Amino acid sequence: MNSIKYYEKSLSIFPGNSDASYKVGLIYSMIGKPDQSIKYYRQSLESTPGQLYALNNLGSLYASRKQYDSAKYYFTNSIHIDSTNEMTLTNLVVVHCLLKEYDEAINFGNKAIALQYRNGKIYSLLSQSWLAKGNIDMANKYAELEKQLLPVK
């Protein structure tokens, strides 16, 4: 909690300090206070709208609350800043699957694969998305790719 006081004091002196706002938001998130975390992440974005990690963390907080449209909003803004960020791409695949927007999930999953990210979660979600669309062959293809990433027993 001392670190929160330190950053809040910094914010009282320099109210537009995006870094300090982000760090307070991160600390609140780590100690399980999402409302406070959201407040400070938003404050960070007011000062620096392109704060990639604040956008991603806000998206994750909203996704954890099952507010998937809000999560998608923040992840989408994040991907416009860095279209190659693996965390953002993975989050977009997840949220589009949860919203049953399988074409978009597949689109972002393919972008991640094109960037050579070897992420089993993406392969799993692609398999699920293709299955939901009724394409068993593609679902099996991604399920096999996911299996290749699993450690050998």
Side-chain angles (χ1 to χ4, degrees):
M1 290 306 233
N2 287 337
S3 52
I4 290 175
K5 288 179 184 174
Y6 169 80
Y7 288 117
E8 284 181 336
K9 181 169 174 102
S10 173
L11 287 168
S12 71
I13 298 167
F14 304 104
N17 186 333
S18 176
D19 240 11
S21 296
Y22 171 78
K23 288 176 181 160
V24 173
L26 184 61
I27 294 165
Y28 276 124
S29 181
M30 290 189 300
I31 62 173
K33 297 192 174 193
D35 291 334
Q36 287 296 98
S37 184
I38 288 170
K39 171 186 168 187
Y40 282 97
Y41 284 146
R42 284 185 176 165
Q43 191 173 324
S44 173
L45 291 172
E46 286 173 15
S47 303
T48 309
Q51 224 290 11
L52 178 75
Y53 295 105
L55 289 166
N56 261 309
N57 292 353
L58 274 167
S60 294
L61 284 166
Y62 282 111
S64 72
R65 293 176 163 197
K66 299 183 183 340
Q67 295 175 339
Y68 302 125
D69 286 320
S70 294
K72 182 173 78 170
Y73 171 82
Y74 287 105
F75 294 144
T76 301
N77 282 321
S78 178
I79 203 69
H80 291 304
I81 295 164
D82 181 359
S83 64
T84 64
N85 185 284
E86 182 177 10
M87 177 177 56
T88 305
L89 286 167
T90 302
N91 287 335
L92 279 164
V93 174
V94 169
V95 80
H96 282 293
C97 279
L98 291 168
L99 289 167
K100 298 182 178 164
E101 296 171 346
Y102 300 114
D103 289 330
E104 287 300 311
I106 291 167
N107 177 41
F108 285 109
N110 286 334
K111 286 180 183 181
I113 290 169
L115 293 166
Q116 298 182 345
Y117 295 135
R118 295 184 48 82
N119 182 327
K121 185 175 191 175
I122 290 174
Y123 289 126
S124 174
L125 291 167
L126 282 169
S127 178
Q128 292 171 39
S129 295
W130 282 111
L131 187 60
K133 288 175 61 69
N135 190 325
I136 305 295
D137 292 335
M138 290 299 283
N140 287 335
K141 171 188 169 184
Y142 287 106
E144 284 301 315
L145 289 168
E146 178 190 11
K147 278 188 208 174
Q148 292 173 17
L149 295 177
L150 297 173
V152 178
K153 291 184 182 182

